[in-house]
Amino acid sequence: MQFSSRERLKHARLAGDRREQYPHSLQFYLEPPTESISLAEFESFAVDRLKLLKVVENLGVSYVRTTDIYKTKLVAELRKLKFPYKALAEDDYEARRKDHISHFILRLAYCQSEDLRRWFLQQEMDLFRYRFNELTESLMQKFLGHVNLSFEAVGEDLKNELVNELSSSTPGFTVTKVKEQMFYKVGLADAVDLFRARRVFIKDGFAYVPFKEIDVIVLNNYRTKLSKALALTARSLPSIQSDERLQPLLKHLSHSYVGPDYSVQKNTGKISLEQIDALSVKSFPLCMRQLHRTLRDSHHLRHGGRMQYGLFLKGIGLTLEQALEFWKKEFIRGKVDADKFDKGYAYSIRHNYGKEGKRTDYTPYSCMKIIMSNPPGQGDYHGCPFRHSDPELLKQKLQSYKIPPSGITQILELVKGMHYQLACQKYFELTHDVDDIGFSLNHPNQYFTESQKLLSGGRELKKELNNSGNFQQKNNSQESINSSSTPTSSNATADTELEGLDAYFTED
Ligand code: SF4
């Protein structure tokens, strides 16, 4: 491509300006972006960062963060999603811009509750840790200067003078090692954690911190800044929520998942009602297994359960006729007679299939939606057992499903750390006897599909891959965000309609 000298100048100026805007591949995200972006870009940046943070979460509980496998997998994801992955790359303006903007979008979406804030903070911290530790020493210095954390390096003379004190006060540092490593003088306020853990030498109000511990200080600083920023953002949320374009987008980001859209089913009608009992044991995630068992035992499910389970069944392939037969057979074995079922419940099932009311073809709920919204109350069985069950009850349930004690311990540990979807992945591994499920779980229907794939020895693989071509960004029919520039979102509409459905479920 040929440029005139004027164009070349314009081009160079643009490149220069861009480098100035993002002088480092890494940042503390102190300044929000001010440029205008389209809603489509807004959505795609946010979804990509969410994908990245999910991978960060997954890797964080599967591998030690300093291992090569952790780093290799993370860098592969960063490259795939076009986020900065090479600290020295000069031409990654677009990646840095995406990193900056997407962080702020998710900050808006994930400041809305304590649970969301905690999750976001944890993943952003892990991502930052990895990137910071990948910087060369000179880039680290440059970055520290940029974020006003430049610490004074201890000169060779002073280091030699203090070598014995530094060696005895810094765990793991022999005299030789002290001589080899750079040490920095850090104000006590910045080194509280190291000071408390007795990991540094203190003199005249300064901690003498070895280079390898600097990341602790930087991370603490980042954590404090980000958690304050999240709290502040939460306070300004009411004004953001009044923006009718942003509100539905943000709501769905925090409830969103990044995976195939299960509203379009290619296997509709391929499952018979007789298969459901066996499938519920082999291939249903715990949330759906629990709902199915309750339905069989008590011949009834309350509203939340019927919505969650009914849409899941629709997602695995039950036709409307099958759904009507399935629910009716079960309900009339309880306290509901056929007439009452036809009048009270059949309408809502047809509604789920888009045959009544506004004729929306409802999408099965994602894990995030189940975990984050409409928690179960007394007498309810919907929700996510990893999130909503008492740990002791969860333990008993897992024992009754013959999960080995070591597996139960691992699951409960993940639950304790609030990694509910990872706990569910562990449950999948244990019930399918595999070491690594090889996918990131985001949706109960994904659990079912992957289970069927595995149990059928991969016979369904090709078909499923074809099915999963309708990824969220491509198929924004309902669960994901509407990327069109029109202010209304199909999601928002769908949600409003789902909420409106309550009217049809007056009988619990
Ligand atoms: Fe169901 Fe998802 Fe919870 Fe698993 S993590 S039990 S699939 S909601």
Side-chain angles (χ1 to χ4, degrees), residues 284-288 308 365-371 383-387 420-425 427 441-445 447:
F284 281 15
L286 200 54
C287 52
M288 303 304 170
Q308 184 175 319
Y365 294 170
S366 68
C367 292
M368 280 301 261
K369 186 175 175 87
I370 295 171
I371 290 170
C384 169
F386 299 106
R387 167 68 180 89
Y420 310 117
Q421 284 156 264
L422 297 178
C424 189
Q425 284 184 201
Y427 172 79
L441 177 76
N442 296 303
H443 201 293
N445 289 76
Y447 184 108

Side-chain angles (χ1 to χ4, degrees), residues 51 54-55 57-59 61-63 73 77 80 257-260 262 283-285 367 421-432 434-455 461 464-465 468 471:
K51 277 184 189 167
K54 289 258 178 202
V55 170
E57 180 189 28
N58 223 333
L59 293 177
V61 293
S62 309
Y63 305 100
K73 284 184 181 272
E77 198 63 23
K80 194 171 94 190
Y257 77 100
V258 278
Y262 292 94
S283 290
F284 281 15
C367 292
Q421 284 156 264
L422 297 178
C424 189
Q425 284 184 201
K426 181 52 70 184
Y427 172 79
F428 184 106
E429 287 166 10
L430 293 162
T431 49
H432 291 75
V434 287
D435 289 337
D436 182 356
I437 61 171
F439 64 91
S440 175
L441 177 76
N442 296 303
H443 201 293
N445 289 76
Q446 177 195 20
Y447 184 108
F448 176 80
T449 307
E450 295 291 342
S451 168
Q452 284 293 290
K453 230 191 273 182
L454 198 71
L455 296 175
L461 195 61
E464 296 304 341
L465 282 176
S468 60
F471 272 83

Side-chain angles (χ1 to χ4, degrees), residues 18-35:
R18 287 174 160 195
R19 273 196 292 273
E20 257 169 47
Q21 199 172 346
Y22 298 116
H24 300 276
S25 58
L26 194 61
Q27 54 168 314
F28 269 178
Y29 309 102
L30 300 176
E31 298 294 332
T34 48
E35 64 179 288

Side-chain angles (χ1 to χ4, degrees), residues 121-138:
L121 190 63
Q122 177 66 48
Q123 311 326 319
E124 286 285 337
M125 292 288 296
D126 281 358
L127 180 61
F128 184 89
R129 182 188 291 108
Y130 161 76
R131 287 163 148 186
F132 182 76
N133 285 321
E134 286 303 294
L135 295 179
T136 59
E137 203 175 318
S138 68

